[in-house]
Amino acid sequence: MKVSAVVATYNRREALRCCLTSLFNQDVPAESYEIIVVSDGCTDGTSEMLNSLRSLREFVVIEQENRGKAAAVNAAVNVASGEIILVLDDDLVCDRGMIAAHSAAHTNGVPALVFGRMRADLGQHPGVAERFMYENNERYYLRLETNSSPVWPDDAC
């Protein structure tokens, strides 16, 4: 079962580098998943950084004028060849077992929406809002590890 990991980005070159490095280092064979990156009008050197990573692993790059995240994700999905599509934010650092875990979650043939613990790259100088979101996510996932039952109203979404 092939997986397509889709990453849309806009001017987050260094966060994207961390995300892609984590995607390159999955514990499944490279041919079992593809990586598609959409550079949505980036002006911060993202194209050059992506070109520098091409020697590490084959991946698809789509460059388009800035049309927003939804349009960028749609552009990637339109070229994806996987049976499973993972839509990832450009600041996520993926666990080595992420692709394998998503593949395993879909083996019974029943359509499913699957999510797991997400860790964002805070960068060198995170702002107050960025740190708050990071710490909030960490508390949320720690709670889910001990009790996976939904809690109202915390898990309303």
Side-chain angles (χ1 to χ4, degrees), residues 33-54:
Y33 69 105
E34 66 181 346
I35 301 168
I36 304 168
V37 178
V38 180
S39 175
D40 189 40
C42 295
T43 59
D44 67 345
T46 294
S47 293
E48 293 79 9
M49 183 275 297
L50 290 170
N51 285 332
S52 75
L53 294 178
R54 290 201 182 273

Side-chain angles (χ1 to χ4, degrees), residues 39-91:
S39 175
D40 189 40
C42 295
T43 59
D44 67 345
T46 294
S47 293
E48 293 79 9
M49 183 275 297
L50 290 170
N51 285 332
S52 75
L53 294 178
R54 290 201 182 273
S55 64
L56 300 176
R57 187 192 193 286
E58 185 178 318
F59 60 102
V60 175
V61 175
I62 300 169
E63 295 198 42
Q64 65 182 32
E65 63 183 51
N66 184 254
R67 294 178 25 222
K69 184 173 182 174
V73 169
N74 286 337
V77 169
N78 284 336
V79 302
S81 64
E83 297 171 61
I84 299 170
I85 297 178
L86 300 179
V87 179
L88 305 171
D89 286 341
D90 58 5
D91 62 349

Side-chain angles (χ1 to χ4, degrees), residues 7-41:
V7 184
T9 190
Y10 176 72
N11 287 344
R12 294 185 43 102
R13 180 186 67 225
E14 293 310 314
L16 177 63
R17 180 191 312 268
C18 291
C19 177
L20 289 176
T21 300
S22 70
L23 281 172
F24 295 164
N25 292 309
Q26 293 295 297
D27 62 5
V28 295
E31 55 275 0
S32 67
Y33 69 105
E34 66 181 346
I35 301 168
I36 304 168
V37 178
V38 180
S39 175
D40 189 40

